[in-house]
Amino acid sequence: MNRPIPPLVGARFGDDWWQRGVIYQVYPRSFADSDGDGVGDLGGIIDHLDHLGPDGLGIDAIWLSPIYPSPGLDLGYDVADHERVDPLLGSEEDFDRLVAEAHRRGIRVVVDLVMNHTSDAHRWFESSRAGRDGPHADWYLWRDPSGSGPDGRPLPPNNWGSIFGGPGWEWEPRRLQFYFHTFMAEQPELDWRTPAVEDAQLRMVRGWLARGVDGFRLDVFNVFLKHPDLPSNPTRAGATAWDRQLHLYDRDQPDFPALIGRFRAVLDEEPGRMSVGELFDGTIETAAGLTTDRHLVFEWSLIEATWTASDIRSVIGVRESAFGAGRWPTAVLSNHDRPRHASRLAASIGAGDPDAISRAAAVLLLTVRGTPFLYYGEELGMSDVDIPSEESVDPPFSRFSPEFHLWDRSRCRTPMPWSPGPGAGFTTGRPWLRLGPDAETRNVDAQLADPTSVLSTYRALIALRAATPALQVGSLHAHPDGGGEVVAYTREIPGQVILVLLNLGRRDATWRLSAVAGESGWRPLVRTAKATAADEAIAIGATLILAPDEGLILEAVRPEA
Ligand code: GLC
């Protein structure tokens, strides 16, 4: 099917949007429901593009968590057909309309590709498990047993496990072989060493590019390749079965950069396309090493930091030294797998007003060097929601807890509250997952009316970033004095210096403004503890007082020539 690619209208940034822009993650089931079945859908996203676009939040691209047909055991990350849209979320036409409507507003579209595994309901796997002769026989990681146990039962080929808990090998009586799964048994691992698998994946990628998508998020990409001989991993001490192994052979293989390079080359055939790989369970150095121009890699140092000056300062330093000047980092505080940061950061210090922390964290996210990725609802300061266990919709958690080393991810995937009233403007039906208890007051309409809200702060910060090249691409310099409880850094390009101050202490902090490069003063641009920062320029030598969890962004004022 060859459809014309809808033109992109009014985009703020050109081919470097992946670097200068802000990317917003939509979890489709929870964003907005357009047909009243209680589940968010593509129509709902289209209806709310103005919340995201130039007249709203002002983001530059949306990343859609998986939209493909799926049995839903891993909520869409168990894909039954990578080339189609899940009818639960809409039709093929709805997807094309979404791309066209997003492009009409200058918003790029990034889709989530789950290429490490499929659902066991995928036709490739159904054919592969049926016997050793079919066209897909070697498309998955099949191996003979290593022997048989005292009871005669076949023994798995090696000691690899599943991160969700339990063994990584599943017996298939029809083939008399095991298949491997890093995730659930219903998510069998593809064998990327079979050339036909790579061909099929790249064909699928070209299909989405032809439909106008601008980029891809690659699920658990550093796991695609395993050691060809599948040796057992060495063991070590650890809290879960997964942590009790050194994952030498089931991820991060030396020929992976070449494989991902072939995928990237397909995107590089046209300007303006990008990808972001999800680093699965690895180090920041691995993430930086896999980063190339236009092809970003998530790493988790910010998402794992506590809300203390020492931790944030050290994470900024680690990021800067791992990525250096030549590689471009990402910045992430929340996603669909982790506790929302409005809950997590206050909990990490056992104190603080979550809304003040959300506003200050937004300053960090949108001013640190790297492409910011927002998770839907964080612009409202949404927090995790207590979900009774019988309502949990996270099978890996329900099945494998406590061996599953994550948590009940339903808590961070609850519906977006748009307005007061039943269904919170998310649905006219019964929401698939309960709304947060504060949806009546914490919603888009209420926060739009309040200039001090988390949403108003995000809008101001994103607008500032879009107008400030130093915040997009400038180098980052930590303040030489350290700063006590105040995290301080500058972002600089020739002719523009921006100073960022964040008081992460529990008391008011003072900050004496000094000159970095011959300024005559500093002009406040955004101040999170006040509705506006419409202050006069502040002279060098003046002392500022910052409230706890206050963020302040200032621009250097040059002396009159
Ligand atoms: C990624 C996804 C997560 C999913 C897993 C398996 O980590 O972010 O939600 O469960 O991959 O596909």
Side-chain angles (χ1 to χ4, degrees):
M1 228 173 331
N2 250 341
R3 298 179 177 82
I5 298 180
L8 188 75
V9 180
R12 288 187 303 198
F13 304 117
D15 292 347
D16 56 357
W17 64 273
W18 56 270
Q19 182 174 33
R20 291 178 184 264
V22 174
I23 303 180
Y24 182 99
Q25 179 185 359
V26 173
Y27 195 70
R29 290 171 196 233
S30 289
F31 196 62
D33 169 24
S34 67
D35 60 8
D37 67 357
V39 182
D41 49 38
L42 300 183
I45 302 172
I46 296 170
D47 292 345
H48 290 84
L49 283 173
D50 287 334
H51 166 69
L52 302 174
D55 299 330
L57 203 49
I59 54 84
D60 301 280
I62 48 174
W63 145 31
L64 304 172
S65 277
I67 51 165
Y68 318 103
S70 162
L73 288 172
D74 194 11
L75 278 301
Y77 286 90
D78 47 329
V79 178
D81 184 346
H82 294 80
E83 292 171 313
R84 294 268 160 269
V85 171
D86 190 336
L88 181 70
L89 303 180
S91 64
E92 301 300 320
E93 291 66 35
D94 290 335
F95 180 80
D96 293 329
R97 199 158 55 85
L98 171 56
V99 172
E101 288 295 325
H103 282 182
R104 204 163 63 74
R105 292 166 176 84
I107 301 173
R108 263 91 173 186
V109 178
V110 173
V111 298
D112 209 320
L113 285 184
V114 188
M115 299 198 287
N116 176 66
H117 45 270
T118 68
S119 158
D120 63 349
H122 196 292
R123 66 188 167 80
W124 297 344
F125 190 68
E126 283 173 351
S127 133
S128 194
R129 79 187 322 177
R132 301 192 190 194
D133 307 320
H136 303 100
D138 57 354
W139 283 37
Y140 292 82
L141 269 179
W142 293 105
R143 284 296 183 281
D144 292 334
S146 58
S148 50
D151 54 359
R153 284 222 306 238
L155 294 174
N158 65 22
N159 69 353
W160 296 358
S162 155
I163 187 151
F164 288 153
W169 293 96
E170 192 73 13
W171 179 248
E172 172 52 68
R174 277 173 285 178
R175 285 180 60 131
L176 299 176
Q177 279 186 315
F178 285 96
Y179 69 85
F180 181 66
H181 56 93
T182 302
F183 300 93
M184 291 202 277
E186 293 87 347
Q187 292 168 295
E189 216 97 344
L190 284 158
D191 187 352
W192 275 86
R193 295 191 184 282
T194 296
V197 168
E198 184 174 325
D199 291 349
Q201 304 272 38
L202 296 188
R203 225 176 10 255
M204 178 268 291
V205 166
R206 286 184 191 282
W208 288 109
L209 290 173
R211 290 178 78 168
V213 312
D214 302 280
F216 300 99
R217 179 259 189 193
L218 305 180
D219 194 61
V220 298
F221 81 148
N222 56 320
V223 191
F224 290 179
L225 284 182
K226 309 339 183 234
H227 190 289
D229 302 333
L230 274 58
S232 281
N233 282 321
T235 55
R236 61 173 176 189
T240 66
W242 181 265
D243 290 338
R244 286 192 288 277
Q245 292 193 3
L246 266 178
H247 293 276
L248 292 188
Y249 302 122
D250 50 356
R251 67 169 196 226
D252 296 325
Q253 294 304 294
D255 47 350
F256 175 65
L259 164 66
I260 205 62
R262 294 193 290 277
F263 161 83
R264 290 170 172 178
V266 173
L267 272 66
D268 292 345
E269 286 169 12
E270 285 181 48
R273 263 73 185 269
M274 62 83 74
S275 72
V276 54
E278 184 207 17
L279 188 76
F280 170 71
D281 198 36
T283 66
I284 188 167
E285 288 75 21
T286 307
L290 290 170
T291 301
T292 58
D293 193 25
R294 291 210 247 160
H295 300 291
L296 307 174
V297 181
F298 287 136
E299 54 81 25
W300 311 116
S301 59
L302 268 178
I303 223 171
E304 285 167 0
T306 64
W307 190 239
T308 56
S310 59
D311 222 10
I312 298 296
R313 204 176 283 129
S314 114
V315 161
I316 292 173
V318 167
R319 286 165 53 91
E320 286 301 302
S321 63
F323 283 82
R327 292 192 157 108
W328 196 250
T330 60
V332 186
L333 287 174
S334 287
N335 66 25
H336 64 291
D337 289 328
R338 306 281 187 140
R340 283 184 176 273
H341 67 266
S343 301
R344 189 184 71 234
L345 295 178
S348 75
I349 51 169
D353 162 14
D355 279 356
I357 294 178
S358 286
R359 289 191 295 265
V363 170
L364 176 68
L365 183 69
L366 291 156
T367 62
V368 82
R369 198 173 71 93
T371 302
F373 285 75
L374 273 50
Y375 181 51
Y376 84 96
E378 76 171 66
E379 74 273 34
L380 304 176
M382 263 175 88
S383 52
D384 295 330
V385 176
D386 284 335
I387 305 288
S389 54
E390 64 280 9
E391 287 178 28
S392 168
V393 273
D394 192 13
F397 169 77
S398 330
R399 280 198 211 168
F400 297 118
S401 173
E403 225 357 290
F404 182 26
H405 84 168
L406 289 176
W407 63 308
D408 182 359
R409 296 174 296 176
S410 320
R411 296 169 50 101
C412 69
R413 297 173 176 178
T414 58
M416 175 90 168
W418 294 96
S419 51
F426 165 74
T427 183
T428 53
R430 186 166 181 273
W432 75 292
L433 185 58
R434 66 165 64 197
L435 285 149
D438 56 355
E440 193 62 21
T441 49
R442 185 182 299 281
N443 55 61
V444 172
D445 285 355
Q447 293 207 8
L448 278 178
D450 173 4
T452 67
S453 66
V454 178
L455 178 57
S456 297
T457 306
Y458 268 84
R459 285 168 63 129
L461 286 168
I462 293 172
L464 174 68
R465 195 177 193 280
T468 312
L471 287 179
Q472 298 155 18
V473 293
S475 55
L476 184 149
H477 305 275
H479 198 276
D481 294 345
E485 294 298 312
V486 178
V487 172
Y489 50 90
T490 56
R491 297 291 310 281
E492 301 180 23
I493 56 165
Q496 186 171 51
V497 181
I498 301 290
L499 172 65
V500 180
L501 300 173
L502 289 163
N503 176 13
L504 302 194
R506 295 302 100 210
R507 283 189 225 111
D508 283 357
T510 54
W511 184 265
R512 191 168 172 278
L513 281 173
S514 53
V516 174
E519 301 78 15
S520 61
W522 293 92
R523 189 164 56 89
L525 300 173
V526 168
R527 178 159 208 165
T528 63
K530 290 190 179 169
T532 65
D535 300 336
E536 299 282 292
I538 308 171
I540 300 298
T543 297
L544 299 173
I545 299 177
L546 293 149
D549 301 316
E550 175 167 13
L552 176 56
I553 306 176
L554 307 105
E555 178 169 16
V557 181
R558 302 275 168 203
E560 296 290 324

